[in-house]
Every structure is written in structure tokens, then in C-alpha cells.
Amino acid sequence: MNDHNMSQRKIEGFIKLAKVIQWGRKYPVRFVERFLGLELLDYQKYVFMESWSTPFVLWCMGRNSGKTTLGSPFIMAKSALIPNFEAYILAGVGSQSQEMFMKIEKIAKREIASFTGLTDIFYNETVKSAANSDGFTHNPASFSYKLYNGSVVRSLNGSFDNNRSKRSNLNFYDESGFAPDELFTTSEPFTTQNSDFRLGGETDVTLLPKQFPNQLIYASSASSTDTYFYRKYRDFSKKMILGDRRYFVADISSDVVISATYNGKLYPVSLLSQEKVDTAMRENKEKALREYKNIFTTEGSDQQIIKRATIIRNSEVRVPVLANDGNRKFVLAVDPARQHDNSICTPAEFYYDDNQGWKMNISNSVSFVDIAKKKKTPMKTPDQINHFKQMLLDYNGSRSADYENILQVLIDSGAGGAGVSAWADGLLEEWSDVRGIKHKGLIDPTHDEYSIHAHQYPNASNKLKLVSPQKYKKDMFDALIEMMSLDLISFTETYDNKGFITLLGDDGENTQYKLSSDEEMALVNIDIAKEELVSIYSFKSTNGSIRYDLPPDKQSKIGDDRAYTIAMLAWYLRNLRRESIVNKEKPKVNWSNAPSFISSIDF
């Protein structure tokens, strides 16, 4: 007998368990396959094994390469094989870290249909209670689970600036290529303490076994060269190439995923198809090169007016708005085209924030393209106007008076798109919708073309503004730079083409929102708009004047029409904010108390 009065059978059981744990620590991939029942492709095994005991790790893995699928069993294996292990799952937005945590939970509960051999071994190791029947807690501030060996894994869902002074053995940064620098500077110190440090009692620390090192793992597809993720990618790669075994970088492009092998043989069904990559390359080449080929986008130093990091900072997971529920206010900006250019309409929701004043959310982006044409050129102008009229109804709200919820319609009046001769003329007269209901026309009574004829259209609404690019383009892009720097313009989060987005409910639970085809198209177009925004440069002429345009190397590869409409909206936002400041009601002074007030002042 011993101090704990254990039977020989129990001692043998503990010895067997110790042998399994030691075997799992030595062969973690085989542990995952045998005990979790999760099979890995050969490139995933390589990444898993090389990352197992490396302190500084970076996974640059393209879309559909299985970053989250690989990170989940990695964290599960660490927490199961290392007693008192603590890990944090972090991301730029809380829903992203929750999504990875939910992947771990689904693996443990055998709820993933594509993984046919999953076991319940890990699920049986989670600490359960009467209030928590499965061991996984979904506190809005942090999802977590705890194992019987004392290991704890948490996701950080809230503001990362509030998460300081914590201790961790592993920080896993999901989608770290699109997270702000503040996330890393506030959380990387979690792993600062040496994992081998021990103090207290009569323990001889020189006799204790060496512990697994604390780890930082950055996982993402490629981003841009001005991001924190790229700086780590560059630094870690250099050190790995020079032979420093504390660093490991995995660069897994779509080519590796498409031709992936399993136990040395080409797997018959790949995670990613070549057709999907080709489609992405046609729709948005620069984005596709980043997401599938791991080619980081080069930023334009001081000439680039909007940095990608600014776009990332002002992007949020939300559903695009395709119609008004009657409680919102919208501005619609149109850059019309007839032949070769894009014809774009960008609606934005304007709202008043008590602390920051007027702000706007980019709600949608619509391209008036004729899908029947081989080159997908714009549809005929009358068809564009008819489509736009329906958008007016949608964004005004079906139960509201004509244009009650439309603050302004902005239309580029340049000659190339016929903004005056076709669009403005086409919107003057009253018109009927598909149900036969009549609606007012639109007019810009301040424009030279219509100021003397405004009396002929007394029933036309004056919520139309024709914007001259020759007169206002520089001012519009100046406004765009100013509004973006103040974080007053919000975009939707980058769409991953999954057909759904994960939203955080009021109860702290994640919900999957299934997108309609129109909502998917809106997200894709907003992503294209963001690419255009970061591609606009400022050019200074010899006389000191500044113009905004695409650089020569991008003029034939990408458009600027979506960016132009967002500049129009930013211009309206800046003017609206100035107007609200100028017309702000001044505080009233009760002058009846003036004599006593003045006499109390010590001159």
C-alpha cells in the first residue's frame, strides 16, 4: 500500500494512461487519428507535426485549405495531453474566434458529417455539471471548456483591448492576416512567462522534466504587406531558413490543396476545386491571388490614400441591407455608364451616433450589368433606370411616402455616363411601379440644366444631386480620406463564399445566417469595392495640384467606379456632419442671474 492507498489495479491503470499520454506527445498526429478519430491529409500532418513543439508558428494557408479544421484538433490534442494547459483562441472579431471554438465542440460531439470516424473520447474528458451538461460553456464574453486534467481552452469574444494580464500556454490567432495590430500587442504577453519556471517548497527545478514551450500560432490566408501578419510571415520565414528551430512557417497554396495526398497517394476528392479558383480569379483577381495563391498584396506607401488596415479595422460581420424596414435612412450614389465602363449604384445607411455624430454603413453595391452579353457590359440605360427606380422603392420602404427615407440621390454628371442627358432626364417625370402605383420624379433644381425649368416639374422631388467630377472629384476623395481616418464608414466583413455568415446573437450564441443569392452578390461587390479603394493613389503634378486615380499598372486590371461612388457618399457624409455642427442649437443662458453671477467673479 502507498500514501494514497491505491490498489495495484488502479496503479496499473495509471501507468497505462501515462504510457498513452507519453505516446501521444511523441506521435500527436497518430494520437489525433486513433483517439479523436480525425484523419488528416499529408500536408496537414506535416504542418501539425512541425508546429507541435515550436514556439513561434505561422500558417499561411489559402481558402478552403482547412486552417480551422487543423487548428481545432491541434488545440484538442494539446489540452488532452498536457495537464493544466491553457489556451486562448483569438481573432479580429469575436464571431471568428467563436466559430473555431464551435468547430472543436462539434468534433467532440461528433456533429460533423464529413468526419465519419470521430470518437467520443475527448467529449468524455470534459468536466460537466448539473448546469453544464456537455462541458462547453457559451458565456458571451468567452466560450470555454475544461478537462479533468485541469486544461482550459477559452475564446476571447469581446474587445481585445480589455483582455490583458492573462496567462496562456498557447495563443491561436485565427484569420490573423485581417486583425488589427492592437489584438497582438495586447495578447502576445499572455505567453511571456517561461513554461519551465517553477518556484516554491523544496523542489529541485533542475530535476523536473522540460515542459512544452509556450506557443504563438498565427493562422490566415495572405493579406497585404502592411499588416502585422505579413511582418511575422517575413521575420519567421527568415529565421526558419537560417535554421532557427524555434520558428516554423507553412505556406500552403491552392495548388497544394487541389493535389493533396493521403498516405502518399492522391486523394480522389479534394478540399478545393480548380474551377472554384478559376472563378475567383475571373471575378476579383487580386483578391483571388491573395486568398488562393498566398500572394500578399503590395501596399502603395504614402501614395495610397486608403490603407487596407483601415478597411479591415472598419469591417464588421453583418448582413447586407437590400431593403428598408421603414426605420432607416439611405443615400444612393450612382456612377452611370453605357458602353465599356461599370455602371454602379452604392446605397449606404446613414445614422446618428450620440457620441460621434453622423456615420454611414455601406449596405450594398449593385452593378447594372447585362448578364446576357458575353463581355458583361452595362445594360441599356433605360433598363438601368428602371432597375434603379425599383431600388428607390426598396430603400425607401414599401409603407413610406415617396422618398421619405431617402436622404439624397447622388448621380455622377460626367458626359461619359450620360448622367444628365439620360439619367436626370429619365427621372424627371412621374412613373408607375409594377403594381401601377404612381411615384414622384426626381430633379436637381440647382443644376444649370434644370434650374430654369424646375417650375415645369412642381411634383418632382428635389432629393437629386448631380455631381460634376471635374468640379468635385478631388473634394470627394479628400472627404473619403478624412471620413475613413475618423472611422465613420463601415463595411461588411470579407466574404468567404460559404453561403452563410456567422452572427453573434443577443444571448451570446453563434447563429448561422443563410445568405440569399442577392445578399451573396452584395457581399462580393462590396469586397470588390474595398479592393478598388485600396488601389486608388494620389498623384502630385508639377504645379502642386493633386489628382486621385488608379496607378498605371492597375488601370487595365481593376475598375474604380465602386470606389468613386463611395467617395461620393463620403463627400455627402462630411457635408452632413458640417451642417449638423453649424446648425447645432446653442445652449441657452438664463440672463436673469447675470448680475449675481458677474458680481461673484474675482477680477
Side-chain angles (χ1 to χ4, degrees):
M1 305 300 290
N2 53 56
D3 293 341
H4 297 282
N5 200 26
M6 288 190 296
S7 66
Q8 185 63 32
R9 184 175 180 181
K10 197 167 187 178
I11 292 173
E12 290 175 356
F14 276 121
I15 291 174
K16 288 181 180 179
L17 176 61
K19 288 181 178 179
V20 169
I21 291 175
Q22 287 297 87
W23 175 83
R25 292 171 178 173
K26 188 175 182 180
Y27 305 107
V29 172
R30 290 161 67 180
F31 175 83
V32 166
E33 293 178 337
R34 180 173 298 184
F35 287 90
L36 302 185
L38 200 154
E39 302 289 336
L40 300 177
L41 296 168
D42 288 346
Y43 76 85
Q44 292 175 322
K45 294 177 183 177
Y46 164 73
V47 175
F48 194 111
M49 204 61 224
E50 290 295 320
S51 306
W52 183 242
S53 58
T54 306
F56 305 102
V57 178
L58 186 141
W59 300 349
C60 184
M61 301 172 69
R63 296 289 178 191
N64 293 97
S65 59
K67 294 184 295 294
T68 305
T69 303
L70 183 61
S72 298
F74 188 91
I75 294 173
M76 294 169 75
K78 282 275 186 176
S79 60
L81 294 171
I82 304 174
N84 302 313
F85 177 82
E86 290 194 43
Y88 283 92
I89 303 171
L90 307 100
V93 292
S95 60
Q96 185 68 44
S97 60
Q98 291 173 5
E99 186 174 344
M100 183 171 183
F101 182 92
M102 293 301 295
K103 176 74 77 172
I104 294 175
E105 183 174 342
K106 288 181 178 180
I107 292 174
K109 294 180 178 180
R110 298 188 294 177
E111 294 178 349
I112 301 179
S114 58
F115 297 153
T116 56
L118 295 177
T119 70
D120 59 1
I121 292 177
F122 188 85
Y123 180 76
N124 293 333
E125 290 297 313
T126 58
V127 178
K128 304 170 183 64
S129 65
N132 182 15
S133 60
D134 60 8
F136 294 93
T137 61
H138 297 155
N139 187 304
S142 176
F143 290 5
S144 66
Y145 71 79
K146 185 175 183 179
L147 303 184
Y148 286 112
N149 66 356
S151 295
V152 180
V153 173
R154 304 180 180 91
S155 69
L156 291 186
N157 306 341
S159 173
F160 44 78
D161 194 49
N162 297 328
N163 295 302
R164 299 175 185 268
S165 302
K166 300 181 184 297
R167 291 291 176 263
S168 172
N169 301 112
L170 167 63
N171 282 5
F172 192 100
Y173 298 96
D174 198 17
E175 294 298 344
S176 48
F178 307 94
D181 290 9
E182 291 82 1
L183 170 66
F184 307 102
T185 56
T186 58
S187 60
E188 283 179 348
F190 292 2
T191 64
T192 300
Q193 182 171 305
N194 189 339
S195 60
D196 289 317
F197 178 80
R198 297 289 186 277
L199 182 65
E202 299 179 356
T203 303
D204 185 352
V205 294
T206 62
L207 300 178
L208 293 177
K210 188 173 177 62
Q211 302 297 307
F212 277 86
N214 293 338
Q215 288 184 291
L216 297 171
I217 299 182
Y218 308 85
S220 179
S221 55
S223 52
S224 58
T225 55
D226 68 336
T227 58
Y228 193 90
F229 181 73
Y230 174 75
R231 295 197 293 272
K232 291 295 182 183
Y233 174 88
R234 180 190 58 200
D235 295 342
F236 287 10
S237 297
K238 290 179 180 177
K239 291 174 181 177
M240 176 186 172
I241 293 171
L242 290 173
D244 192 334
R245 297 191 62 82
R246 296 176 302 159
Y247 296 85
F248 172 69
V249 175
D251 193 320
I252 308 296
S253 69
S254 60
D255 298 327
V256 176
V257 179
I258 293 172
S259 57
T261 59
Y262 176 68
N263 292 336
K265 296 181 180 180
L266 183 67
Y267 199 68
V269 181
S270 64
L271 283 169
L272 179 67
S273 66
Q274 185 63 52
E275 181 183 5
K276 189 168 186 177
V277 176
D278 293 341
T279 301
M281 293 288 282
R282 288 193 298 269
E283 291 177 351
N284 189 339
K285 186 175 181 180
E286 189 161 348
K287 180 183 176 185
L289 287 172
R290 236 185 13 250
E291 295 189 343
Y292 293 104
K293 301 298 182 181
N294 290 353
I295 297 177
F296 287 82
T297 302
T298 303
E299 298 297 282
S301 75
D302 294 338
Q303 284 186 288
Q304 185 182 23
I305 64 171
I306 305 295
K307 298 293 186 182
R308 194 176 302 276
T310 305
I311 297 281
I312 294 170
R313 186 176 69 244
N314 289 285
S315 296
E316 57 184 350
V317 180
R318 56 179 166 85
V319 181
V321 180
L322 307 184
N324 197 341
D325 57 9
N327 299 315
R328 307 183 183 201
K329 302 294 182 182
F330 288 90
V331 176
L332 280 70
V334 182
D335 182 13
R338 292 183 295 179
Q339 294 293 329
H340 306 294
D341 214 350
N342 290 318
S343 188
I344 301 296
C345 175
T346 301
E349 179 185 356
F350 280 63
Y351 64 97
Y352 191 84
D353 182 272
D354 292 336
N355 295 320
Q356 295 178 288
W358 283 102
K359 303 176 71 176
M360 77 176 187
N361 295 335
I362 302 301
S363 304
N364 193 359
S365 182
V366 176
S367 177
F368 298 121
V369 64
D370 190 344
I371 59 176
K373 295 180 181 179
K374 184 177 181 180
K375 293 186 177 181
K376 302 296 186 293
T377 54
M379 60 178 68
K380 294 179 181 178
T381 300
D383 294 334
Q384 294 184 37
I385 295 175
N386 288 334
H387 194 166
F388 175 73
K389 288 177 178 177
Q390 183 57 49
M391 290 182 64
L392 278 176
L393 297 181
D394 292 339
Y395 284 99
N396 185 56
S398 57
R399 297 185 179 181
S400 302
D402 276 352
Y403 319 127
E404 179 183 4
N405 295 318
I406 303 295
L407 295 177
Q408 192 81 65
V409 173
L410 306 169
I411 299 180
D412 176 78
S413 63
V420 176
S421 61
W423 273 78
D425 287 353
L427 292 171
L428 278 172
E429 302 285 352
E430 289 186 347
W431 54 280
S432 299
D433 60 24
V434 293
R435 297 180 295 172
I437 300 175
K438 282 193 173 182
H439 301 278
K440 296 179 181 180
L442 293 169
I443 190 171
D444 180 0
T446 64
H447 192 272
D448 294 341
E449 187 71 24
Y450 301 104
S451 58
I452 59 176
H453 301 295
H455 66 280
Q456 298 178 14
Y457 305 94
N459 201 34
S461 173
N462 64 355
K463 290 195 173 182
L464 173 64
K465 174 66 177 177
L466 291 167
V467 183
S468 168
Q470 290 80 14
K471 184 177 180 180
Y472 293 111
K473 184 174 181 179
K474 181 182 180 301
D475 195 30
M476 288 190 293
F477 278 97
D478 286 343
L480 174 66
I481 297 170
E482 181 183 350
M483 296 298 99
M484 287 295 298
S485 66
L486 294 173
D487 296 337
L488 299 174
I489 302 175
S490 169
F491 300 86
T492 54
E493 189 61 64
T494 301
Y495 180 48
D496 55 10
N497 300 311
K498 290 182 178 179
F500 65 88
I501 57 176
T502 304
L503 302 174
L504 178 62
D506 295 334
D507 57 356
E509 294 287 338
N510 273 341
T511 58
Q512 284 189 357
Y513 178 89
K514 184 173 176 55
L515 297 164
S516 67
S517 57
D518 289 337
E519 288 170 336
E520 284 193 274
M521 185 60 67
L523 292 176
V524 169
N525 275 314
I526 293 174
D527 284 348
I528 297 174
K530 291 189 284 187
E531 292 297 326
E532 292 184 6
L533 284 171
V534 298
S535 299
I536 301 294
Y537 286 19
S538 63
F539 297 93
K540 194 171 184 178
S541 62
T542 54
N543 61 4
S545 62
I546 295 176
R547 68 179 177 88
Y548 298 103
D549 207 345
L550 292 170
D553 63 319
K554 290 189 177 182
Q555 288 188 358
S556 60
K557 300 177 182 178
I558 191 172
D560 62 353
D561 311 278
R562 294 172 180 82
Y564 182 69
T565 57
I566 294 175
M568 295 168 71
L569 293 166
W571 177 68
Y572 182 85
L573 176 63
R574 187 186 65 180
N575 294 340
L576 186 64
R577 288 175 60 83
R578 286 179 175 176
E579 182 181 345
S580 66
I581 293 173
V582 172
N583 297 332
K584 186 176 181 180
E585 186 176 349
K586 296 181 179 179
K588 295 181 180 179
V589 179
N590 186 1
W591 292 105
S592 61
N593 298 326
S596 59
F597 170 73
I598 295 174
S599 62
S600 65
I601 300 177
D602 185 6
F603 292 98

